Amino acid sequence: MLGKLYAITERSLIGGSLADSIEQAILGGSELIQLREKNITDEQYTEYAKEALAVCRKYNVPLIINDNINVCLKSGADGVHLGQGDASPSDARKLLGADAIIGVTAKTIEQVQKAHDDGADYIGSGAIFGTATKNDAKKMDFETLKSIAAASKIPVYAIGGICTDNILQLEGTGVHGVAVVSGIFKGDIKANAQKLSEAVTKL
């Protein structure tokens, strides 16, 4: 079973090294790590992925690569997260193999059902509180999130502006866990993750 606290990196928030930041997130209780990079070459992305993977392997925490199957293959990461405009989960599965963890962003019940039919392992859904890290992400209301969680046969992670101050508002939505960017990597990473890790068990 996939863990409940899912940390997504954002290098613009990270003061120290990528590896140290990921380690702090894991020590605080993050059970999944996603490496999210934009506007860099696959070669650079792969180098970052290998750096991140070394830390994740040390703690036996899965590393997911955002949007890039090629980087996942080259780095040996554990899986990939796909948006609606990316490759299908079934195509990713053919390339990455049966054991890969494949996540999909889904904002409607139809998208959830398609992701499940295509062999996805989990759903990311939001932006539930809005977000400062993704310009094109529209805010999702709680009723939509509840309906998605109820319809899904695979774990659903709420994403978008989640932090220690608002996470408990998700109680009763039926989500499996939370995916967090700024709420972990802005400020004291380990302390942020610890608080979120404790709170997510109450959802």
Side-chain angles (χ1 to χ4, degrees):
M1 176 60 84
L2 296 171
K4 291 179 176 292
L5 183 58
Y6 188 172
I8 302 177
T9 66
E10 173 61 56
R11 274 188 303 119
S12 67
L13 300 172
I14 293 171
S17 76
L18 177 67
D20 287 346
S21 298
I22 289 172
E23 184 166 44
Q24 289 302 301
I26 292 171
L27 289 172
S30 300
E31 299 166 284
L32 274 168
I33 300 290
Q34 182 187 129
L35 184 67
R36 188 164 82 182
E37 297 288 342
K38 300 288 184 184
N39 305 316
I40 60 173
T41 64
D42 276 12
E43 287 74 20
Q44 183 64 70
Y45 203 164
T46 302
E47 286 306 307
Y48 284 134
K50 288 178 178 176
E51 184 183 348
L53 189 61
V55 182
C56 289
R57 286 283 181 269
K58 180 179 174 183
Y59 295 99
N60 197 30
V61 169
L63 177 68
I64 310 298
I65 303 298
N66 186 59
D67 284 353
N68 199 313
I69 296 169
N70 187 40
V71 168
C72 184
L73 277 169
K74 284 184 173 180
S75 65
D78 299 287
V80 69
H81 185 88
L82 304 167
Q84 287 297 314
D86 299 320
S88 73
S90 54
D91 287 342
R93 180 74 65 201
K94 288 171 191 170
L95 292 166
L96 298 175
D99 294 334
I101 301 169
I102 298 174
V104 175
T105 298
K107 303 189 178 193
T108 67
I109 290 173
E110 291 74 24
Q111 288 175 352
V112 169
Q113 290 168 338
K114 187 172 190 315
H116 182 266
D117 292 344
D118 285 347
D121 295 298
Y122 74 85
I123 296 292
S125 208
I128 195 63
F129 295 112
T131 176
T133 62
K134 222 171 182 186
N135 296 332
D136 59 347
K138 293 179 182 175
K139 193 170 180 180
M140 175 182 284
D141 64 68
F142 276 45
E143 289 309 310
T144 301
L145 182 64
K146 281 182 186 177
S147 65
I148 283 171
S152 183
K153 299 174 185 175
I154 53 180
V156 173
Y157 290 87
I159 186 169
I162 297 166
C163 64
T164 55
D165 292 336
N166 61 25
I167 182 173
L168 290 178
Q169 292 178 41
L170 296 169
E171 195 170 354
T173 57
V175 296
H176 170 74
V178 293
V180 184
V181 189
S182 305
I184 287 178
F185 289 102
K186 193 173 183 179
D188 188 329
I189 298 170
K190 184 178 177 182
N192 291 339
Q194 282 175 328
K195 290 173 186 173
L196 288 164
S197 180
E198 289 167 11
V200 77
T201 62
K202 299 172 185 175
L203 300 184

